[in-house]
Amino acid sequence: MVKAVFPGSFDPIHYGHIDIALRAAQLFDEVIVAVYDRPLKNLIFSPEERITLVEEAFRDYPNIHVMGYSGLTVDFCHQVGAQVIVRGLRVFSDFENEFRMALANHRLAPDIEMVMLITNEEHTFLSSTTVREIASLGGDVTTMVPPHVDKALKACFARMSQTQQMSHLKSLRD
Ligand code: ADP
């Protein structure tokens, strides 16, 4: 049985992520979508909120499970008995980052393989940053995220605009 971990911040999950997880679920017996609790990024959703949004996205897929984690991804893989880390690639800059991360992970844990899936062309431009920026300005993200995520984004930005917390959004990166 081959178990794969698909790690990320998922702030929030969008159709590009969902496509990668569903394709991985056809290649591997089990996929754990692993929500990293504290990446070096400004986040709009808490770890619990991000996990709930991811869980809802994969509710109908019995071989996809969702877990939160902290620390090194390779340590998490060992804890859950996963042999593979899945990542998605969109543009050349993704490749450079993933290439470096794959070599570092391989140094730390030679027993774990990294598998990169190329994005579906309709999702090439899609990132959590793009989704957050459009949603924060009241734009329509319904072709980019599932309805429950759209709802959560609207609630989040309504809350932020009431408490004037929007300024830190400018420095967000994906
Ligand atoms: P991270 O914080 O690790 O960069 P993200 O939540 O941004 O995590 O993304 C998780 C994974 O999903 C990464 O491998 C990323 O490259 C991939 N990904 C993000 N957006 C897309 C997309 N539009 N198509 C394919 N893969 C994507």
Side-chain angles (χ1 to χ4, degrees):
M1 164 158 167
V2 183
K3 204 187 262 197
V5 162
F6 176 40
S9 316
F10 305 107
D11 188 50
I13 187 158
H14 55 64
Y15 285 134
H17 296 129
I18 292 172
D19 176 59
I20 297 292
L22 296 185
R23 286 160 57 197
Q26 291 182 337
L27 296 173
F28 305 109
D29 298 295
E30 182 184 348
V31 173
I32 299 176
V33 182
V35 180
Y36 188 48
D37 71 346
R38 296 196 195 292
L40 298 173
K41 297 175 175 180
N42 291 323
L43 300 173
I44 59 167
F45 292 111
S46 69
E48 296 73 25
E49 287 169 324
R50 286 180 283 127
I51 290 170
T52 304
L53 294 174
V54 176
E55 278 173 346
E56 175 70 21
F58 298 114
R59 215 177 31 181
D60 297 332
Y61 297 91
N63 71 331
I64 302 182
H65 300 111
V66 182
M67 292 174 76
Y69 79 107
S70 52
L72 290 172
T73 305
V74 289
D75 287 346
F76 177 72
C77 289
H78 286 146
Q79 277 162 30
V80 298
Q83 303 92 325
V84 172
I85 296 175
V86 172
R87 299 284 288 173
L89 291 181
R90 287 159 294 191
V91 288
F92 283 118
S93 56
D94 275 354
F95 175 79
E96 225 179 292
N97 287 333
E98 297 298 337
F99 184 69
R100 233 179 307 124
M101 215 170 354
L103 292 178
N105 280 336
H106 206 251
R107 175 74 62 88
L108 294 172
D111 55 322
I112 294 175
E113 284 298 339
M114 306 278 296
V115 172
M116 314 294 169
L117 298 181
I118 306 289
T119 187
N120 185 318
E121 61 183 321
E122 71 180 286
H123 304 313
T124 311
F125 72 97
L126 202 47
S127 70
S128 295
T129 305
T130 304
V131 168
R132 287 188 305 256
E133 281 175 359
I134 295 173
S136 73
L137 298 169
D140 181 2
V141 292
T142 54
T143 61
M144 303 172 199
V145 298
H148 71 282
V149 177
D150 180 44
K151 201 170 149 199
L153 282 163
K154 286 196 171 94
C156 174
F157 287 117
R159 214 169 44 232
M160 276 188 183
S161 66
Q162 271 168 10
T163 52
Q164 316 239 307
Q165 286 179 320
M166 302 288 270
S167 57
H168 80 283
L169 281 174
K170 288 190 189 112
S171 61
L172 290 182
R173 64 167 288 276
D174 203 25

